[in-house]
């Protein structure tokens, strides 16, 4: 593990944004995208950390972890569904096939949990028993495993809008996707989730829920895009303590970025109003958490890329003939 002092030194040098001499830049919360020739796209994963739909900090190595962990998962799941990966020219960059992204986010959930307005547990706790088109029995408890994983789609809110909940039926009935495509996407999503749970289990973790994005490839195929099974798109819990804690009515030990939301909540911040300042130790802990998730899931030692990232990225893209 990279020592805290080393990460502290890098805090000021975090990779907060990219400025490449490429056209068509789009900025997501975490990734910068650039349009390339031949229907390709360069996705640069920065160190930006978002929660509560806001960018809260830039955390050393977070971008590299997300990019390399995603690339690893794409490789692990390519037998299930085609994906957008063409190459990894730099630890923070992915060369991808440009997709026409589908307008739904495909959330898969194995457990009833969460407190945001789209979360299963939140809906259940306010008395709803039909949620996302599924019937739930009385007597469920927070963080309980579902009989089987379910798909709970939402519309893609975009940077300002909100994600609206949909039932699986509404996705095709309301014309968000045609029925054949939606069926293909649902099968792929459930198979991906099963693979994700198996791999996480071997790493001593539970893949609780996750969000996939799919799109249409230039050749017409359905393909998996964006990111897969990262701590930004997924919830992970520690497997070995889950059962005892659940039985005792305690919250599971999270192994994702939830501890950052909790740190803010402890300061009274829940997403509205001025964002409280946080001590550097929270960001070094975040960096170490991301790295250890990478190492646990992949079974590989994390090899830190050189900082600052920008000149290194520039050189690697030139070497790859992208710049
Ligand atoms: N192969 C691809 N082709 C086209 N778009 C893609 C591809 N892979 C990912 N994207 C898009 O790139 C963006 C990734 O950036 P990021 O994840 O930071 O965005 P976000 O903040 O989650 O969402 P938003 O785009 O709503 O701001 C997403 O909008 C995603 O849909
Ligand atoms: Mg995203």
């Amino acid at each position: 593990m990279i020592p805290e002092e080393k990460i502290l030194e890098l805090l000021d040098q975090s990779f907060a944004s990219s400025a490449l001499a490429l056209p068509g830049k789009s900025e997501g919360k975490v990734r910068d995208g650039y349009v390339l020739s031949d229907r390709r796209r360069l996705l640069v994963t920065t160190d930006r950390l978002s929660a509560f739909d806001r960018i809260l900090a830039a955390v050393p190595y977070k971008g590299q972890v997300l990019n390399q962990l995603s690339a690893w998962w794409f490789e692990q799941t390519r037998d299930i569904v085609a994906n957008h990966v063409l190459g990894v020219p730099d630890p923070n960059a992915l060369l991808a096939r440009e997709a026409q992204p589908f307008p739904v986010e495909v959330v898969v959930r194995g457990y009833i949990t969460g407190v945001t307005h789209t979360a299963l547990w939140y809906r259940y706790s306010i008395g709803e028993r039909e949620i996302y088109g599924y019937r739930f029995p009385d007597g469920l408890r927070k963080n309980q495993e579902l009989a089987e994983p379910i798909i709970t789609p939402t519309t893609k809110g975009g940077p300002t809008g909100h994600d609206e909940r949909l039932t699986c039926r509404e996705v095709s009935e309301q014309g968000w996707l045609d029925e054949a495509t939606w069926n293909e996407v649902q099968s792929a999503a459930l198979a991906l989730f099963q693979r994700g749970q198996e791999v996480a289990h071997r790493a001593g973790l539970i893949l609780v829920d996750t969000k996939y994005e799919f799109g249409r490839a230039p050749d017409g195929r359905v393909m998996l895009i964006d990111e897969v099974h990262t701590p930004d798109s997924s919830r992970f819990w520690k497997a070995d303590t889950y059962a005892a804690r659940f039985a005792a009515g305690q919250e599971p030990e999270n192994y994702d970025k939830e501890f950052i939301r909790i740190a803010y909540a402890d300061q009274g911040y829940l997403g509205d109003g001025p964002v409280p300042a946080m001590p550097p130790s929270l960001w070094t802990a975040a960096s170490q958490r991301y790295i250890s998730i990478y190492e646990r899931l992949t079974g590989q030692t994390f090899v830190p890329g050189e900082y600052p990232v920008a000149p290194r990225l520039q050189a690697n893209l030139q070497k790859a003939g992208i710049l």
Side-chain angles (χ1 to χ4, degrees), residues 26-33 39-41 43-46 48 50 53 55 74 83-85 94-102 105 156-160 163 211 213-216 223-227 232:
S26 56
E27 266 179 56
K29 283 186 283 294
V30 172
R31 273 169 290 264
D32 293 345
R39 299 191 173 182
R40 295 173 310 157
R41 187 182 179 87
L43 287 171
V44 177
T45 309
T46 70
R48 297 194 289 268
S50 85
D53 269 337
I55 294 153
F74 277 122
N83 64 58
H84 68 168
V85 178
L94 189 82
L95 186 60
R97 286 182 195 88
E98 175 89 50
Q100 257 175 10
F102 295 148
E105 307 220 323
K156 241 184 231 179
T160 47
D163 296 349
K211 180 212 70 177
E213 292 188 36
F214 293 86
R216 183 81 61 199
M223 77 181 170
L224 181 63
I225 64 170
D226 204 47
E227 62 178 331
D232 277 14

